[in-house]
């Protein structure tokens, strides 16, 4: 059976050992403990897969709670139709949230564009008002 050290997993997935320990604290992975006082973590293929799925879930923007539920379901002997239905529900909620964020961003960008145009117009007006006056004073 393949085993991995925390350093090997951190390097493979381009994350810090601290992040891996955090995922362990959250119950997403659970390495064996070896050595004096059980201080050395030994990760198996199961932990590697769970870490990979966790990072994939994070890239999708899922919460750790959603990820844990999905990863736990992945390992359960339940039928896959129920798992896929649950996963689709999580994705639908996440899609809705992202679409709302996108709408909010579009509104904010439109407001910024309007303010930029207003500022540019005010600068243009100020240049026209003060431009000739400066020239008359200099003469």
């Amino acid at each position: 059976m393949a085993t991995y050290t925390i350093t090997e997993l951190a390097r493979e997935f381009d994350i810090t050992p601290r992040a891996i320990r955090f995922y362990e604290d959250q119950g997403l992975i659970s390495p064996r403990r070896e050595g004096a006082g059980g201080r050395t973590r030994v990760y198996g293929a199961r932990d590697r897969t769970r870490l990979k799925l966790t990072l994939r879930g994070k890239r999708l923007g899922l919460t750790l709670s959603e990820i844990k539920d999905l990863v736990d379901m992945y390992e359960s002997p339940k039928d896959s139709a129920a798992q896929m239905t649950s996963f689709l529900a999580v994705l639908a909620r996440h899609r809705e949230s992202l679409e709302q964020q996108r709408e909010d961003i579009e509104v904010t960008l439109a407001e910024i564009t309007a303010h930029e145009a207003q500022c540019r117009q005010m600068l243009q007006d100020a240049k026209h008002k003060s431009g000739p006056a400066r020239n008359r004073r200099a003469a």
Side-chain angles (χ1 to χ4, degrees):
M1 178 171 100
T3 61
Y4 309 89
T5 66
I6 195 168
T7 303
E8 290 169 334
L9 289 178
R11 194 174 299 128
E12 178 180 351
F13 292 108
D14 195 27
I15 58 175
T16 64
R18 183 177 179 186
I20 294 172
R21 287 189 295 272
F22 174 76
Y23 294 138
E24 182 182 339
D25 290 343
Q26 299 300 308
L28 290 158
I29 54 178
S30 52
R32 285 191 337 262
R33 300 291 186 138
E34 292 183 355
R39 293 180 52 116
T40 302
R41 291 170 168 88
V42 179
Y43 299 89
R46 175 186 179 272
D47 295 307
R48 184 185 171 279
T49 299
R50 289 179 67 94
L51 181 58
K52 184 177 183 177
L53 292 171
T54 297
L55 296 173
R56 187 175 295 158
K58 289 301 292 176
R59 279 194 308 276
L60 287 172
L62 303 177
T63 66
L64 287 179
S65 174
E66 291 169 328
I67 292 168
K68 185 170 182 344
D69 289 346
L70 292 171
V71 170
D72 287 346
M73 256 194 304
Y74 177 79
E75 292 185 334
S76 72
K78 296 177 186 172
D79 84 358
S80 62
Q83 293 170 357
M84 291 299 110
T85 300
S86 178
F87 186 50
L88 285 171
V90 168
L91 290 176
R93 284 192 308 272
H94 190 60
R95 175 185 295 278
E96 184 179 316
S97 173
L98 288 174
E99 286 174 352
Q100 181 62 54
Q101 288 176 18
R102 179 173 50 192
E103 185 179 313
D104 293 344
I105 289 169
E106 288 172 0
V107 167
T108 302
L109 287 172
E111 289 174 359
I112 289 171
T113 299
H115 287 300
E116 287 173 334
Q118 184 180 13
C119 287
R120 286 190 181 96
Q121 185 61 52
M122 291 171 75
L123 282 172
Q124 206 56 18
D125 292 347
K127 285 181 187 177
H128 288 291
K129 289 180 183 176
S130 65
R134 281 189 190 159
N135 290 341
R136 278 186 253 146
R137 285 188 211 141

